[in-house]
Amino acid sequence: METMDDAGVVRLSPDLAIVQTLDFFQPVVNDPRTFGRIVAANSLSDVWAMGGKALTAMNILAYPSKKIPVSAIEELLTGACEKLKEANVMLVGGHSMELQELFYGMSVTGTMHPDRVLTNAQARVGDRLILTKPLGAAVYSEALFKDGLTDQQYEEFSSSMERLNMYASEVFQHHDVSALTDVTGFGLIGHALPIARNAGVTVRIQLNKVPFFSDFFDLMQRFLPTQTWKNTEYVEPYLWKEPGITDDQYSLVAEAQTSGGLLAAVHPDDVARVLAALHAAGDQRAAVVGEVEPLRKGDDGKSEFIRVTKE
C-alpha cells in the first residue's frame, strides 16, 4: 500500500509468488465486443506491470438486464475471451448482478518468482523512461460519446486500448529495468509520481517526446475531458512545470488513460535494445519520454518529484 503498486504479490515459497489484481469500469466505446477486449487487456495489465505471468481470470459484471439485450452481453464476454485466449489465460468463473448502469471488469491471478518482481519503487538516477503506448484516451473517449470521431480515429483509439501489455512486459523482463508500472486512471504524471516518491528522485517528462493519438490536440479543443483536474490536483504539490507549457500540452500528460501502456525505467545502456525489441514485438509507438534525475527542491524547499519540460 505504501508504494501504490499495480498488484498484490504474495510469496508462497522461496521461488513462487502469486500476483493478484482486480479492475472494473464503465464502457469507453459503443461496441460491446470491443469493450470486452479493452476490459480484458486493462484488467490483465496490472499482472504484467509487476513482471508476472497472468494465469486465470474471473468476470465481474453488473448491468440493467431490461435495457441491455442478452446478445450484447454475449458479445461483450466474447470480446473479453478473445483477449484471454490471446494471453493464454483461463476464465474460471465470475459473478454478475443487476444494476442500473453497466460495469464490467475482471479479477486476475498470476504467478512469478518473488525475487523478480518489477515494482514502481526502485528507479535509479540516470534511467530513461520508456512509454509503450500513445496517450489521448480520455479526449478520444469524450469525442466518441459526442459523435466526434471519424472511423480512422476510432480505429487508432480502440486498437491501442485492445493491445495487450503482455508483449512489452516480456521484453522488459529480459532487460535492465529498475521500475515498471502501467499508465491508466492517474495519467502519465500521476503514475510517474509514485515512481519518483518511492525512490526519492525526480522524474522528468519531456513533452516533445511523448507519443499521442494523431488528432489529440485538434479534438481537445472541442472535447476536453472533465476529470483531468483530479490528476492535476493530485500531482500539483510535487510538480514543476517549465514556463511556456500550455494548458493543452499539459493536459496530454495529466488526462486519465484506459488500458494505457507500460512506463519503465530502463538503464541508459539498454535503451536502444529495449526500444528495438518493443518495436519488433508490435509496440510501434514505444518511445523514450523522460529520465530519472537526482531529487530537486524548489525555492520553498518542497520536493519536485515531477518536472514537465518541453525538451
Side-chain angles (χ1 to χ4, degrees), residues 274-300:
V274 170
L275 283 177
L278 288 170
H279 295 161
D283 288 292
Q284 301 290 339
R285 301 293 305 277
V288 175
V289 298
E291 60 183 302
V292 180
E293 301 177 339
L295 181 62
R296 294 174 180 257
K297 299 279 187 176
D299 294 337
D300 57 1

Side-chain angles (χ1 to χ4, degrees), residues 152-170:
Q152 184 176 353
Q153 290 166 338
Y154 178 80
E155 174 61 25
E156 180 182 16
F157 165 59
S158 60
S159 62
S160 179
M161 291 188 292
E162 290 180 10
R163 169 76 179 171
L164 296 181
N165 283 330
M166 173 180 67
Y167 305 105
S169 177
E170 290 172 349

Side-chain angles (χ1 to χ4, degrees), residues 2-310:
E2 290 79 8
T3 61
M4 293 181 64
D5 235 314
D6 296 292
V9 180
V10 180
R11 184 191 298 267
L12 299 181
S13 69
D15 59 357
L16 180 65
I18 59 168
V19 188
Q20 292 182 291
T21 183
L22 179 153
D23 205 351
F24 62 93
F25 50 96
Q26 292 180 293
V28 293
V29 293
N30 292 321
D31 174 61
R33 185 172 289 207
T34 301
F35 180 50
R37 296 189 194 111
I38 293 168
V39 166
N42 187 85
S43 299
L44 293 164
S45 179
D46 283 337
V47 171
W48 296 321
M50 303 300 296
K53 175 180 174 59
L55 292 180
T56 63
M58 302 186 78
N59 282 320
I60 304 159
L61 175 64
Y63 69 101
S65 61
K66 294 180 180 179
K67 296 180 181 179
I68 297 180
V70 173
S71 58
I73 299 302
E74 183 178 359
E75 283 290 294
L76 173 75
L77 299 178
T78 298
C81 284
E82 289 173 351
K83 286 296 170 180
L84 292 180
K85 183 178 180 180
E86 180 182 344
N88 198 28
V89 172
M90 182 180 295
L91 183 67
V92 294
H95 182 72
S96 63
M97 66 179 295
E98 182 100 12
L99 271 186
Q100 292 304 306
E101 301 291 337
L102 171 64
F103 288 88
Y104 179 46
M106 291 180 174
S107 65
V108 182
T109 300
T111 58
M112 68 185 313
H113 194 289
D115 296 334
R116 297 174 187 162
V117 180
L118 289 173
T119 76
N120 63 4
Q122 297 176 355
R124 303 163 298 204
V125 172
D127 281 349
R128 303 299 190 263
L129 297 172
I130 292 179
L131 178 66
T132 63
K133 288 185 184 182
L135 304 180
V139 165
Y140 269 57
S141 183
E142 188 81 6
L144 173 65
F145 284 104
K146 294 180 179 177
D147 298 323
L149 282 190
T150 65
D151 290 346
Q152 184 176 353
Q153 290 166 338
Y154 178 80
E155 174 61 25
E156 180 182 16
F157 165 59
S158 60
S159 62
S160 179
M161 291 188 292
E162 290 180 10
R163 169 76 179 171
L164 296 181
N165 283 330
M166 173 180 67
Y167 305 105
S169 177
E170 290 172 349
V171 169
F172 290 134
Q173 289 172 49
H174 290 89
H175 290 85
D176 192 355
V177 175
S178 63
L180 186 65
T181 189
D182 62 354
V183 178
T184 50
F186 288 99
L188 178 58
I189 56 172
H191 286 281
L193 179 57
I195 289 178
R197 293 181 69 179
N198 293 334
V201 297
T202 291
V203 165
R204 179 163 69 98
I205 303 297
Q206 299 167 276
L207 273 173
N208 289 349
K209 295 184 177 181
V210 175
F212 54 88
F213 294 144
S214 55
D215 298 310
F216 173 82
F217 289 107
D218 290 337
L219 289 171
M220 195 175 63
Q221 304 307 312
R222 294 176 288 144
F223 306 107
L224 184 64
T226 58
Q227 300 298 315
T228 300
W229 66 270
K230 290 186 177 181
N231 292 339
T232 299
E233 189 177 62
Y234 168 54
V235 176
E236 196 77 39
Y238 315 102
L239 171 74
W240 181 87
K241 184 170 61 172
E242 182 179 334
I245 291 176
T246 67
D247 290 342
D248 288 357
Q249 292 171 321
Y250 180 67
S251 292
L252 174 67
V253 296
E255 66 149 29
Q257 303 300 303
T258 300
S259 194
L262 296 179
L263 179 66
V266 179
H267 193 283
D269 293 343
D270 216 8
V271 166
R273 289 186 292 271
V274 170
L275 283 177
L278 288 170
H279 295 161
D283 288 292
Q284 301 290 339
R285 301 293 305 277
V288 175
V289 298
E291 60 183 302
V292 180
E293 301 177 339
L295 181 62
R296 294 174 180 257
K297 299 279 187 176
D299 294 337
D300 57 1
K302 290 185 178 179
S303 297
E304 295 174 351
F305 289 115
I306 301 294
R307 289 173 65 90
V308 179
T309 63
K310 294 178 182 177

